[in-house]
Amino acid sequence: MTTTGPGCGGSGGWRLRADVVVIGTGVAGLAAALAAHRRGSRVILLSKAAETATFYAQGGIAVVLPDSVRGADDSVDAHVADTLVAGAGLCDAEAVRSIVADGARAVAELVGAGAHFDESSPGRWALTREGGHTRRRIIHSGGDATGAEVQRALDHAAASLDIRRNHVALDLLIDDGAVAGVSVLSEDGPGTVYAPSVILATGGAGHLYRATTNPEGSTGDGVALAIWAGVPVSDVEFVQFHPTMLYTGSASGRRPLITEALRGEGASLVDRHGEPVMSGVHPMGDLAPRDVVAAAIEARMSASGDACVYLDARRVADVARRFPTVTAACRAAGIDPVRQPIPVVPGAHYSCGGVVTDVHGRTAIDGLYAAGEVARTGMHGANRLASNSLLEGLVVGGRAGVAAAEHAELAGPPRVVVAEPSLRPVLARPSLQHAMSGYASVVRDDAGLGRLAAELETAQPRMLSSRSVFEDAALTAVAGVVGAAARARTETRGCHHRSDHPDTDPAQAVSIVCAPVASGCR
Ligand code: SIN
């Protein structure tokens, strides 16, 4: 029997049993839990934080709708092609096709759960565009409040499920090569949930950086749990910086997103002098893929010495009504987007890589699944296409729930694994965020990544005695693999830009896998 340490969980504390444990309550976690529940599984959801990244998603869901309701000349082939172009040679084309082709069905299921989307005329959904999409194929809700509507509908559908709030999953219990449960920290102290199937749906790791569009719980928990359990993670160097996060001086933590759909409706990026940022950079101009736009903004800021650029949305028709979330965030910061350009900077937004899975969320460990931002299905490659994340969370979340339920039925109850407490290296968050923001941000180089590695070497082992220590340990583990993979990838590709290797190297068109992490990333 092998176990990973349970942090402060130990063998004592409270105990629960389930068929399927889902860690995380955003789109992927709730889709998974509902699917497993429908299959008759006893499901326990563990929720660490009140807010999910799903809630904050603005732009929408990229989906190819059936002919009868589609408003544009679109096809699965076209959506797959756009996804592959954005992914810069590292997508798994079969995974992309499988997920894209299942999108309309998954969205119909979401509508069945009560979600509403904006209409352009009665019975016809309004479609918008974002960077990298050659068609208008993004459905949205409440203008720019799509994530809030998805979360509302799924929360409502899952209201009768067993959701344990303020429960932090500290470690995976592994018994003889299969998952056996999770050690957990709750307000009642340490404990264990035993289950033959565990689904990681913990979201991203935006708080690796000083400023991010992610909610405060996005601390890379699922990737860290996988790393500690020896489960392969891949493509982690591809951290996507959203080109337009609201700039509000040196404020850190979660900053408001300024949705790309504004550019889909005519807004444009300019510098302090009103000069366009994107002219001559890419044939798609302001709607180029996200990595291209973020790098162009960085280049303009570094050439001018300015701390931000501006998104001029003044010509967007009825901007305050169409984009109420953005308008409210701007006005709260003293900016009126109807009259003024919006100050923006690129901000850490999305982890394109993560725990290696197939398109049913299966990982290398029997009974362990991952879905949503925490996972690496091969959908995003080196750079995620806008609004493909809610799509992937819905589709793969649902499939992972089915697979986990089926596995639980076959596997039967797990053995009670007694695990010893363990120590994890922890770098204090301000130091970690300073090093990641300085050396592993939009543009990297070997010297900086070496400094990041040296900083991470100073991490001190600590017991996981609180949520904040656990989160700092998780961030430290994830920073380690992001830094190692970024250093190993000596080229520029997708959202990984190396100033010392500015070209794409065809010989490096392969994913870097860290497995297990102690043996390095290659
Ligand atoms: C946005 O609305 O610009 C973000 C959408 C996404 O991250 O896919």
Side-chain angles (χ1 to χ4, degrees):
M1 180 185 79
T2 58
T3 69
T4 59
C8 66
S11 55
W14 51 267
R15 289 180 181 193
L16 292 171
R17 282 182 184 278
D19 299 319
V20 177
V21 181
V22 181
I23 310 171
T25 51
V27 60
L30 291 178
L34 286 164
H37 174 72
R38 279 195 295 270
R39 293 260 155 170
S41 285
R42 199 168 27 142
V43 179
I44 291 181
L45 284 126
L46 303 176
S47 167
K48 176 184 83 167
E51 293 179 332
T52 65
T54 296
F55 176 83
Y56 285 110
Q58 293 183 0
I61 306 177
V63 62
V64 179
L65 298 170
D67 285 352
S68 56
V69 284
R70 124 174 136 208
D73 171 27
D74 203 2
S75 65
V76 167
D77 284 347
H79 189 173
V80 168
D82 291 349
T83 302
L84 297 181
V85 168
L90 286 196
C91 294
D92 174 337
E94 277 181 35
V96 174
R97 181 166 293 280
S98 164
I99 294 167
V100 166
D102 206 12
R105 181 208 56 77
V107 167
E109 201 170 286
L110 184 64
V111 169
H116 296 281
F117 293 97
D118 297 337
E119 295 182 340
S120 55
S121 58
R124 243 184 141 70
W125 281 337
L127 302 174
T128 192
R129 251 184 94 190
E130 290 182 75
H133 289 274
T134 55
R135 310 283 201 284
R136 293 180 82 90
R137 64 165 68 95
I138 295 162
I139 58 171
H140 48 85
S141 187
D144 57 1
T146 312
E149 173 62 4
V150 170
Q151 188 75 51
R152 183 202 63 75
L154 291 174
D155 280 345
H156 181 73
S160 65
L161 299 191
D162 184 353
I163 304 180
R164 309 280 167 141
R165 308 272 173 200
N166 299 315
H167 280 53
V168 183
L170 295 177
D171 228 332
L172 297 170
L173 304 183
I174 310 292
D175 179 26
D176 204 14
V179 86
V182 193
S183 68
V184 179
L185 188 61
S186 78
E187 283 154 348
D188 295 329
T192 309
V193 186
Y194 292 102
S197 294
V198 174
I199 303 177
L200 303 172
T202 51
H207 288 268
L208 286 169
Y209 297 89
R210 264 199 304 260
T212 172
T213 61
N214 293 182
E216 41 111 27
S218 296
T219 51
D221 304 3
V223 170
L225 294 176
I227 289 169
W228 293 331
V231 181
V233 301
S234 181
D235 288 342
V236 287
E237 67 275 33
F238 300 111
V239 177
Q240 183 173 76
F241 286 77
H242 195 288
T244 56
M245 179 175 75
L246 184 64
Y247 174 71
T248 51
S250 59
S252 61
R254 191 188 81 77
R255 311 303 313 148
L257 177 69
I258 305 296
T259 179
E260 211 164 274
L262 271 160
R263 278 176 278 136
E265 301 300 338
S268 59
L269 286 158
V270 293
D271 65 15
R272 185 159 51 94
H273 307 290
E275 294 297 323
V277 172
M278 291 308 296
S279 67
V281 175
H282 189 280
M284 293 176 89
D286 282 294
L287 284 172
R290 229 167 241 188
D291 62 303
V292 176
V293 182
I297 292 173
E298 284 283 324
R300 183 63 61 96
M301 283 164 43
S302 112
S304 65
D306 291 340
C308 66
V309 296
Y310 296 87
L311 185 70
D312 191 346
R314 289 177 293 184
R315 80 174 88 121
V316 173
D318 213 358
V319 65
R321 190 195 53 80
R322 170 67 179 84
F323 295 99
T325 310
V326 165
T327 301
C330 288
R331 287 185 175 156
I335 298 143
D336 183 357
V338 178
R339 286 174 234 290
Q340 293 167 272
I342 306 166
V344 291
V345 286
H349 183 59
Y350 192 87
S351 302
C352 298
V355 182
V356 177
T357 72
D358 66 9
V359 291
H360 295 271
R362 298 184 192 100
T363 71
I365 297 253
D366 215 24
L368 181 66
Y369 302 81
E373 189 172 352
V374 66
R376 182 268 181 208
T377 57
M379 171 86 174
H380 310 309
N383 184 34
R384 176 178 64 89
L385 186 65
S387 287
N388 267 354
S389 48
L390 290 177
L391 171 72
E392 186 193 41
L394 268 182
V395 169
V396 182
R399 291 178 180 180
V402 171
E406 287 172 356
H407 174 80
E409 273 174 41
L410 291 174
R415 284 197 299 172
V416 171
V417 175
V418 178
E420 295 307 315
S422 63
L423 298 165
R424 302 288 182 209
V426 176
L427 189 61
R429 199 173 302 196
S431 307
L432 181 129
Q433 290 179 337
H434 181 261
M436 287 295 291
S437 303
Y439 306 131
S441 191
V442 180
V443 183
R444 299 107 183 244
D445 64 21
D446 188 65
L449 292 166
R451 281 184 210 111
L452 169 65
E455 185 71 32
L456 288 168
E457 285 289 312
T458 67
Q460 295 297 313
R462 291 187 64 184
M463 299 296 296
L464 307 184
S465 54
S466 67
R467 171 177 160 182
S468 68
V469 176
F470 165 78
E471 288 183 335
D472 288 354
L475 287 170
T476 304
V478 177
V481 290
V482 171
R487 209 167 180 197
R489 185 169 290 285
T490 50
E491 62 159 355
T492 288
R493 181 183 295 277
C495 51
H496 170 71
H497 286 244
R498 285 278 301 251
S499 56
D500 50 348
H501 295 281
D503 298 324
T504 301
D505 172 8
Q508 295 189 49
V510 283
S511 288
I512 291 175
V513 182
C514 308
V517 170
S519 60
C521 298
R522 58 181 92 106

